[in-house]
Amino acid sequence: MAKSYLVLEDGSVFEGEPFGHRAPATGEVVFSTGMSGYQESLTDPSFRGQILVMTYPLIGNYGTNDDYCQSEQVHTRGLVVREYCKEPSPMYGGHTIDDFLKHHKVPGISGIDTRDLVIRIRTKGTFKGAITEDKEGIEELIKKLQRMPSPSESNLVEEVSSKKIEKYNFGKEHCVGLLDCGEKSGIVRDLSKWFNVTVFPYNTPADVIVDHKVKGILLSNGPGDPSHPAILKTTARTVADLSVQMPMFGICLGSQIVGVAMGGKTYKMKFGHRGSNQPVKYRGKVFITSQNHGFAVDENSLEGKDLIADQINVNDGTVEGLRHRDLPLFTSQYHPEASPGPWDTSFLFDEFAKAAKGGRR
């Protein structure tokens, strides 16, 4: 039986079996706590540059289906599981996660003690890592990983953002803009209930967006560092310019970019939040949310600024949402459109719709 290895930059080696596409891969090793939603996670552009570890021990039992994809490709560089299901339920078509990864040319490794791996990440933080079948080359691979820059040092947003302006007509009276930093299809789906949608590349200047006469702007999720120089020069500047011209809603990376654009700072978290069960306190209630991020807004950096951190993660106290003191501008660090996960906070799209149509939150 063929052997495959997950290698970490600290010298740790986990032996398993290959599945999916048979090829080496490198990336940042992160974990997700969702019991389901593996296909949505694999196709979420926010996972660009990362090797995804699923904490649930059996992955693929309900198969794969094109309806679950959040983009046209798999963005993770690899998938790590305890066990993958070779004979999934026929309920959703019966296609295996193995075939799905082969089709998208992404390697997987199974048979890993994912509990031990996740404890290591939670204790020491995320690692750079690699999937390989070359046992003899592991020692040299560890040295390569130690020299390799973190994927977030690259402008990952540029890799996943749309390359041109795209218009979607859903037969609505009004149109909003979507500044695409790596948006999931679920965001367009939820916006389509109220609006036609014009999608703009992440580096679109504010005046171009204004010229398209959109009623508001949604700043999407995406991968990488919100304080990357390329983001500060383009997206953050656009956000600052548009904030006084139209209602704005930021999701995930979009929330962090709003924070930076309004004078705040961000930092890289030890291991981030990834999964569909993160509790967020907001308006005196606790909502269960779907999340995928490795950076966060530093609440202390907002002191004296016009942004208020009005949503907080119950587990670790990190910022989960921002609100402007005066302008119709608000954000959520989590995904109110879910995909996968709970729909508890979908009302935020209602509030953005109200603001964009001329009301206030």
Side-chain angles (χ1 to χ4, degrees):
M1 183 176 293
K3 295 294 183 181
S4 185
Y5 305 90
L6 174 67
V7 181
L8 305 182
E9 62 178 303
D10 71 345
S12 302
V13 179
F14 296 81
E15 182 180 295
E17 300 171 6
F19 73 105
H21 185 58
R22 302 285 290 274
T26 60
E28 182 182 45
V29 182
V30 301
F31 66 88
S32 173
T33 56
M35 295 176 64
S36 60
Y38 46 83
Q39 187 175 345
E40 291 92 335
S41 294
L42 290 168
T43 55
D44 180 350
S46 297
F47 276 113
R48 189 78 167 190
Q50 296 176 330
I51 294 174
L52 176 60
V53 181
M54 301 299 295
T55 62
Y56 191 67
L58 178 62
I59 297 300
N61 55 320
Y62 57 86
T64 64
N65 186 299
D66 289 345
D67 291 342
Y68 303 149
C69 288
Q70 291 299 302
S71 66
E72 295 181 351
Q73 62 177 297
V74 170
H75 292 278
T76 60
R77 293 182 180 174
L79 177 65
V80 180
V81 301
R82 179 69 183 92
E83 179 184 353
Y84 76 93
C85 183
K86 299 177 177 64
E87 297 182 2
S89 165
M91 182 180 297
Y92 301 111
H95 302 294
T96 67
I97 186 71
D98 181 41
D99 288 338
F100 183 75
L101 291 180
K102 286 176 179 175
H103 175 75
H104 288 278
K105 294 182 168 50
V106 173
I109 179 171
S110 68
I112 296 293
D113 185 346
T114 50
R115 178 177 293 184
D116 180 41
L117 175 58
V118 169
I119 289 174
R120 190 178 299 265
I121 295 172
R122 285 180 60 88
T123 302
K124 298 184 177 181
T126 55
F127 294 96
K128 291 174 289 185
I131 294 174
T132 182
E133 294 184 46
D134 180 13
K135 184 176 182 180
E136 302 303 319
I138 287 178
E139 192 171 316
E140 186 58 38
L141 180 57
I142 292 171
K143 296 177 182 178
K144 177 183 176 182
L145 289 171
Q146 292 171 345
R147 297 191 301 266
M148 186 181 79
S150 171
S152 62
E153 293 182 34
S154 300
N155 183 7
L156 296 173
V157 170
E158 185 175 30
E159 297 180 18
V160 299
S161 176
S162 57
K163 307 306 177 187
K164 61 181 180 179
I165 297 174
E166 300 175 292
K167 293 180 178 290
Y168 296 93
N169 189 337
F170 299 108
K172 308 301 182 182
E173 180 182 359
H174 302 293
C175 180
V176 294
L178 173 58
L179 196 54
D180 178 18
C181 296
E183 54 94 6
K184 294 164 57 184
S185 64
I187 293 178
V188 174
R189 175 202 63 212
D190 280 18
L191 287 176
S192 70
K193 297 174 185 177
W194 296 278
F195 300 105
N196 300 323
V197 180
T198 299
V199 178
F200 299 95
Y202 81 100
N203 54 359
T204 305
D207 60 335
V208 173
I209 295 175
V210 172
D211 286 346
H212 278 76
K213 302 186 185 307
V214 296
K215 300 285 288 184
I217 190 77
L218 189 149
L219 187 58
S220 85
N221 64 291
D225 187 346
S227 297
H228 190 282
I231 301 300
L232 296 179
K233 292 178 182 178
T234 56
T235 320
R237 184 173 298 176
T238 295
V239 167
D241 291 343
L242 291 178
S243 64
V244 295
Q245 300 184 63
M246 63 182 66
M248 185 178 295
F249 178 23
I251 294 177
C252 198
L253 181 72
S255 178
Q256 299 160 15
I257 294 175
V258 167
V260 171
M262 298 291 106
K265 296 181 180 180
T266 59
Y267 63 94
K268 187 169 185 178
M269 305 171 74
K270 188 175 183 179
F271 49 82
H273 297 158
R274 297 173 181 89
S276 52
N277 50 5
Q278 286 285 333
V280 173
K281 188 173 183 179
Y282 183 38
R283 298 177 180 173
K285 298 180 180 179
V286 174
F287 298 91
I288 301 303
T289 67
S290 177
Q291 303 197 14
N292 176 14
H293 64 101
F295 288 82
V297 173
D298 180 358
E299 185 174 6
N300 292 328
S301 72
L302 302 178
E303 187 174 348
K305 308 295 191 302
D306 289 327
L307 286 181
I308 300 170
D310 64 343
Q311 304 188 57
I312 300 297
N313 189 286
V314 175
N315 289 337
D316 61 11
T318 54
V319 173
E320 292 285 2
L322 304 169
R323 174 175 56 86
H324 197 280
R325 296 179 188 274
D326 303 307
L327 301 172
L329 185 163
F330 65 100
T331 76
S332 66
Q333 181 59 69
Y334 50 85
H335 287 267
E337 83 288 353
S339 302
W343 297 84
D344 298 33
T345 54
S346 60
F347 63 86
L348 292 177
F349 282 96
D350 298 321
E351 297 191 357
F352 175 61
K354 179 181 178 181
K357 290 180 177 180
R360 304 277 294 197
R361 292 181 74 223

